[in-house]
Amino acid sequence: MTATPNAIPAGGPADVQVDPQRRRRRKALALLLLLLALMLLIGLFIWYLLFRQPIPLPVIPVDPLPAYATSIYGVSDPSGVAVTASGDRIYVAETGGDRVVRIFSAGGAELGVLRPPDTTGPEHAPVYVALHPTTGDVYVTDRPTGAINVYDREGTYLREFRPEGVTGVWQPIGLHVDAAANVYVTDVSDEHRVVKFDTSGALVHTFGMEDGLNFPNGVAVDADGRVYVTDSNNGRLLVYAADGALVATIGRGAGIGNLGLPRGIAIDGQGRVFIVDSSGQGVTVYATLEDGAATPEYLGFFGGQGFADGQFSFPMGVAVDERGRVYVADTSNDRVQVWSY
C-alpha cells in the first residue's frame, strides 16, 4: 500500500502549523505595547524635568463613615475607652460591676485589669482613659476621689498624677494626652473648665469658664494643636486655639450636623473628629477645622438606637487606632463596638 503524503504516522507528534500572518500580527502588537510603554516613561521623565514633582493622580474618594465590624463583651456599663496605635490593646473603663479598667486584645480576649490603688478607702469610679504617646502609660480619671491614676501598659499601678496650681474643688472627667505629653483635663466641679498641664503636672493654663461650659466631657487635640471640647449639658462642641481662644462652635439642635448630648471625642490620623452623642444614640463625624473656617465640616453620622449589631444604647466613650478602626463604649448594652474603614 502506498502511504498518503500528508498522513501523520501512528504515535508521532502532529506538526502544528502556525499561520505566518497571525505570527506577524502578534509581533506587531507586542512591538506596539513596548513602544507605548517607552513613550510613557519618556513622558514621565520630561514632566519631572519640567516641574520637579510627580504627576498628579486622580483622587480616590474615601468613605467618610466606617462600617460595623464586631463587638467586645465582658464589661459592665463601659464609659471611657482608649486603644494603642496598633490596636493590640484596648482599655475600657467600667463604671458598673467591679468599677475597674479592663484590658482586651484586638480579638476581644481579656488580658488584665487596672485596679484603683486603694480599694478600702473612698468609693472609686473610673470614667475616661487616655494613653501616653511614648511610654504607653495609662491615665484614668476617678471622679469620686478627684484623682487621675497612672498605670503601666500591663496594668501595674504607678502613681497618681498630681496637678499643681489648681485652685478650688477638683473633679476630673475628660482626659487627653497630646503628642508632646501635655495633659488636658475637663473639670466638672463648680468651675466647669478645661485645664492643661505639662508632663510633670505643672499648670500651663485654664480656659473655657468664660464660655459658659456646663459639664464639659470629652477633650481631644488635633494635629495643629487645636483643642476640641464636648460641652455636654449645653449640647455643643467648642474648638479652641492652642492658647485657649475660642475659634469655632457647633451647637445643639435637631438638624443635620447638630448635637444633642455630646460625650466622648476622638480624632484620627486622617483628620476626622468622632463625637459620641448619647441622646442621638450614635457617633457624629466631622472634619478637623480648616484655617479660616467658621465651623468643622459635617461628614455624617453612624449608629441608631437599639441592641442589635451597629446600634447603641446611651454610648459614652470613643477611641481610634492607626488601622482605621473606631471603638465606641456602648454603655447600656455592656459592650464596646468596633467599626472599621
Side-chain angles (χ1 to χ4, degrees):
M1 177 182 293
T2 303
T4 303
N6 294 329
I8 299 174
D15 184 12
V16 179
Q17 298 294 323
V18 179
D19 184 358
Q21 188 175 0
R22 182 183 299 175
R23 183 180 297 172
R24 285 194 296 271
R25 286 199 300 267
R26 289 179 179 175
K27 287 183 178 180
L29 180 59
L31 182 62
L32 178 61
L33 292 175
L34 288 174
L35 182 61
L36 290 174
L38 180 61
M39 291 176 63
L40 178 61
L41 290 174
I42 293 173
L44 290 172
F45 181 68
I46 293 174
W47 174 277
Y48 180 76
L49 289 179
L50 291 175
F51 301 103
R52 296 292 178 178
Q53 62 182 10
I55 292 178
L57 298 175
V59 176
I60 300 175
V62 177
D63 192 340
L65 299 178
Y68 173 81
T70 188
S71 290
I72 298 172
Y73 291 89
V75 291
S76 178
D77 294 330
S79 54
V81 57
V83 62
T84 57
S86 66
D88 66 327
R89 289 182 177 237
I90 305 155
Y91 300 85
V92 185
E94 182 181 75
T95 57
D98 295 333
R99 296 193 173 189
V100 295
V101 176
R102 300 190 184 277
I103 311 173
F104 295 93
S105 70
E110 186 170 320
L111 302 176
V113 176
L114 282 64
R115 300 188 182 279
D118 179 14
T119 57
T120 62
E123 183 178 10
H124 293 269
V127 184
Y128 281 113
V129 189
L131 303 183
H132 192 286
T134 55
T135 66
D137 288 348
V138 186
Y139 290 66
V140 182
T141 52
D142 189 338
R143 184 184 177 189
T145 63
I148 300 175
N149 295 316
V150 184
Y151 306 78
D152 69 12
R153 170 185 165 90
E154 306 302 325
T156 301
Y157 178 77
L158 299 177
R159 66 187 183 279
E160 180 181 338
F161 179 81
R162 295 185 177 277
E164 301 174 5
V166 176
T167 59
V169 179
W170 172 247
Q171 282 193 319
I173 294 288
L175 186 66
H176 178 81
V177 185
D178 70 10
N182 296 303
V183 181
Y184 295 79
V185 184
T186 60
D187 176 17
V188 295
S189 64
D190 293 339
E191 299 287 345
H192 290 273
R193 57 189 173 177
V194 182
V195 190
K196 177 182 177 181
F197 306 96
D198 66 19
T199 188
S200 70
L203 177 66
V204 177
H205 64 88
T206 302
F207 56 96
M209 298 86 69
E210 64 280 6
D211 301 310
L213 292 175
N214 188 0
F215 208 86
N217 217 264
V219 57
V221 179
D222 70 12
D224 295 319
R226 289 182 287 254
V227 185
Y228 296 67
V229 181
T230 53
D231 184 15
S232 190
N233 285 4
N234 284 325
R236 302 184 298 175
L237 169 69
L238 303 183
V239 184
Y240 293 90
D243 62 1
L246 181 64
V247 294
T249 304
I250 293 176
R252 168 174 283 160
I256 294 177
N258 292 125
L259 298 166
L261 190 64
R263 296 290 194 183
I265 183 172
I267 302 174
D268 71 4
Q270 304 301 313
R272 292 176 293 230
V273 183
F274 301 88
I275 298 179
V276 175
D277 194 330
S278 293
S279 63
Q281 308 294 352
V283 179
T284 306
V285 187
Y286 304 91
T288 49
L289 187 69
E290 296 285 343
D291 290 337
T295 186
E297 178 188 1
Y298 171 74
L299 299 180
F301 173 90
F302 62 91
Q305 186 171 14
F307 53 84
D309 291 344
Q311 296 180 327
F312 296 97
S313 181
F314 299 100
M316 187 166 176
V318 61
V320 293
D321 66 17
E322 292 182 349
R323 302 178 304 163
R325 295 202 164 197
V326 184
Y327 304 77
V328 184
D330 188 8
T331 306
S332 294
N333 282 328
D334 296 328
R335 63 186 176 184
V336 173
Q337 290 195 36
V338 185
W339 293 64
S340 181
Y341 282 94

